[in-house]
Amino acid sequence: RAFNAYRKALQIDPKRADIHYNLGNLSVDYDIDLSLEHYHESVILDPLNAVYWHNYGTALHSQGAFILARSALKLSLQLHPFYNDSWCNLGIASLSLILFSASQTCFDLAVSLDSCRGNLSPMSADLLAGVFPIQQAFSLSQNNIQLDVSTVNSLWNYSLTLLLDGDYINGWK
């Protein structure tokens, strides 16, 4: 129903970036090409929207267009430098291109930004202990730090990047 409603709205006003963006979101799981078309149109119509660039970059990455994905995600970050989902996904795109140093920097920034603002779900001490040395995990859990999903992904991918780069000791921490 939502898809049809947005299609009708698009017939009324084809220059609405938000409609294209929402159609991109609705089609991302079943037709990535259609989703890319709508995300692309949304960034053309509203090139100053960081969220539109982020989703466009993420969709490009899912299609294997890693260099284009990195460009879109970098544009997202130029518009909104504290958007940690973009930092996380830029790290993933960099990792896909075997740019270990760049991916480590992105994941580190995503974690740093999120630990400053925290927003979704509290992490358990057990999960923190799997990522940080036990003393630091305990300290973080005592402070009731909240990390969002992209931060958890960033921590995991940061660890993976260290392992792939040969830093086995820190990669397993």
Side-chain angles (χ1 to χ4, degrees):
R1 285 186 193 169
F3 191 80
N4 289 334
Y6 279 115
R7 297 291 295 221
K8 288 179 184 176
L10 195 59
Q11 290 172 350
I12 295 167
D13 189 355
K15 299 295 183 187
R16 291 267 313 264
D18 60 326
I19 295 172
H20 284 284
Y21 172 76
N22 288 324
L23 282 168
N25 286 341
L26 289 171
S27 59
V28 74
D29 289 332
Y30 72 91
D31 188 346
I32 191 65
D33 291 329
L34 180 61
S35 182
L36 275 169
E37 286 177 36
H38 286 294
Y39 285 147
H40 184 255
E41 192 63 26
S42 73
V43 297
I44 288 172
L45 294 170
D46 187 359
L48 300 179
N49 189 310
V51 175
Y52 295 177
W53 281 107
H54 169 262
N55 281 34
Y56 182 51
T58 302
L60 286 166
H61 182 268
S62 72
Q63 289 296 94
F66 306 133
I67 294 171
L68 291 173
R70 284 186 81 232
S71 296
L73 291 163
K74 284 180 179 181
L75 283 168
S76 172
L77 288 164
Q78 286 177 357
L79 297 167
H80 183 17
F82 297 103
Y83 190 13
N84 83 321
D85 287 351
S86 286
W87 281 114
C88 178
N89 286 313
L90 181 58
I92 292 169
S94 298
L95 187 57
S96 297
L97 291 168
I98 314 174
L99 301 171
F100 296 128
S101 180
S103 65
Q104 289 174 19
T105 300
C106 293
F107 297 138
D108 188 42
L109 284 166
V111 171
S112 296
L113 287 171
D114 190 60
S115 63
C116 291
R117 72 170 167 79
N119 65 353
L120 288 181
S121 60
M123 299 281 292
S124 70
D126 290 339
L127 183 54
L128 289 171
V131 177
F132 296 104
I134 192 67
Q135 296 84 359
Q136 188 177 3
F138 180 75
S139 174
L140 290 171
S141 67
Q142 292 300 306
N143 292 330
N144 194 29
I145 189 169
Q146 295 180 348
L147 303 175
D148 74 8
V149 173
S150 68
T151 300
V152 174
N153 288 336
S154 294
L155 288 169
W156 185 86
N157 284 307
Y158 184 66
S159 177
L160 177 64
T161 302
L162 291 171
L163 290 170
L164 290 172
D165 203 24
D167 187 351
Y168 304 112
I169 294 172
N170 290 314
W172 286 111
K173 286 185 179 179

